[in-house]
Every structure is written in structure tokens, then in C-alpha cells.
Amino acid sequence: MAEYLASIFGTEKDKVNCSFYFKIGACRHGDKCSRLHNKPTFSQTILLQNMYQNPQNQATVAEGPVPTNKSSIMSDVEAQEHYDTFFEDVFLELEEKYGEIEEMNVCDNLGDHLVGNVYVKFRFEEDAEKAVNDVNNRWYNGQPIYAELSPVTDFRESCCRQYEMGECTRGGFCNFMHLKPISRELRRRLYGRRRGGAGVGGGASSGPMVRRGRSRSFSPAATSPRRRSKSRSPGRHRRRRSRSRSR
């Protein structure tokens, strides 16, 4: 029985634990969900809830109707530049302050539980824990940041395959991740630099996140003496041991 329960943990056959929360770290039912949301006590991945504000999604406002002047509407090129700037600033600052990032993903969904969610997967669990504790005391673009550890470690399980093939019929309200891509040039700068052994690039010291009541001031990031490499999110560590941190 124990082996069977472990094998269905976090799947649709599991009638106790929420499979959506296990896969994507968010659920459209929130606290009203009939199944349990097992929040991890340790993970490589952190979730920054609703952090990215897509200017193209902010069409309607309380001040009045959507402007008809085309010059006031952001073009696709401008929107991509806006997104790349956001992505690079956050990526570099988090990596500079807390440790190496394996990947960072931003949701392009429209549902309240996914819109603007930023998932950051660190190499070490201790770096993720330090980032969550510190970032929760910071602000971005005039809004407080809400961070938590996320059970998501394999984004292939979280993404909408139909969206990747251009066939998702649910649009922005799909319950699986629609990840917003960065430009090829930015991807080369952020991820390609590691192949040559280059260190973290500049820009982190002037990043966008600030402490409450202060302007662009940051506390030094502490370095953990011990590090665990691979995530041990609920259910997965019962079935297999973590891989070695060396590759």
C-alpha cells in the first residue's frame, strides 16, 4: 500500500494531494481547493508571485476606455525589450546575491494564480532558502514581493505542450504554464557565458528590487558552509535519491 501511495503522489490518481499544485506550484482554487497543497520545506526553486507586469496585458484601467491612439500602445518589439530588461535585471541580481541559477521562467498566462509568476531554480537548496527569506522583505516597481519555495523542479512537467506547438485552445487561461520566451541574444548572454567559464556579469548591484523604505540598497548575501544540490520536493525523494551535485 505504501509503495502504491508513493507511486501516485502528485498525480491525477491522488485523491488527497493536489496534482496541479505539485506540478506547477499554483492552483486556481487556492486555499479553497479540496485537495492538499503540500508546500515544500526545502527546494531548489522559488516562486515570485505575480511579479512580472506585462504592459500588453494591462489594457483596461479604471480611468476610462482603452486609448485608440496607436502611438500609446506598446508594439511587440517594445514589449520584448521591456520583458528582456525585466528578466535580465532580476536574473543577474538574484544570481549575484544568492547563488548560481540553473533556470528562470516567467508565466505568460492570464489566470490570477499564474499571471506574471516568476520561477527561479537555483543550483543549491540553501541558496533558494536564503533568497526566499530575503526577497520577501523587498519591493519591485512599487509593489511588495511575495516569495515562497515551490515544489516545481522539472518544468517539462509544468508546461502546456499544446502551447509550445501553437495549438492550445484555452489561451491565457490554461492551467498549465505558458512560458514567455526571452530573446536569443539575452539567452546567449545569461546562459551561454557559463560554457566559457565566465563569471556572473555586471548589473546586479543596480538591480530593481529594493528594501522597504530604502532606495536601491542591499544587504550582503551570506554564504552557506554546507550545500545540498538537488531538490527533494515532496513525494519525489521517496522514490529516488538525489543525484550527485557534481556533473
Side-chain angles (χ1 to χ4, degrees), residues 102-235:
E102 289 192 352
E103 61 179 306
M104 173 171 149
N105 294 297
V106 179
C107 288
D108 202 25
N109 303 65
L110 297 177
D112 291 341
H113 62 299
L114 286 175
V115 60
N117 281 1
V118 178
Y119 295 82
V120 185
K121 182 180 179 182
F122 289 90
R123 182 179 180 186
F124 298 108
E125 293 172 355
E126 286 81 0
D127 293 338
E129 182 180 9
K130 176 64 170 65
V132 163
N133 294 334
D134 198 17
V135 168
N136 265 318
N137 296 319
R138 301 191 181 191
W139 290 63
Y140 178 82
N141 196 27
Q143 300 293 327
I145 299 173
Y146 299 101
E148 63 181 36
L149 293 174
S150 173
V152 180
T153 55
D154 186 353
F155 288 92
R156 294 172 297 181
E157 296 283 334
S158 311
C159 295
C160 175
R161 292 180 177 85
Q162 286 76 20
Y163 173 74
E164 294 174 349
M165 299 173 62
E167 300 175 355
C168 182
T169 58
R170 296 178 179 268
F173 293 96
C174 179
N175 285 320
F176 286 95
M177 292 184 189
H178 289 188
L179 299 183
K180 189 172 179 62
I182 57 177
S183 64
R184 292 183 179 180
E185 174 61 24
L186 179 58
R187 180 173 297 278
R188 184 189 63 81
R189 292 205 307 269
L190 295 181
Y191 297 104
R193 56 189 165 82
R194 293 173 183 155
R195 298 173 185 172
V200 176
S205 60
S206 59
M209 290 184 290
V210 298
R211 289 189 174 277
R212 183 187 299 269
R214 298 185 182 181
S215 174
R216 298 186 182 276
S217 61
F218 306 95
S219 59
T223 303
S224 302
R226 279 185 73 249
R227 295 192 169 195
R228 297 189 297 267
S229 58
K230 293 299 179 182
S231 175
R232 299 172 293 166
S233 55

Side-chain angles (χ1 to χ4, degrees), residues 30-47:
D31 295 335
K32 297 180 180 179
C33 183
S34 60
R35 300 184 184 184
L36 296 178
H37 293 177
N38 289 293
K39 296 189 176 183
T41 56
F42 40 78
S43 176
Q44 290 174 261
T45 306
I46 68 172
L47 165 62

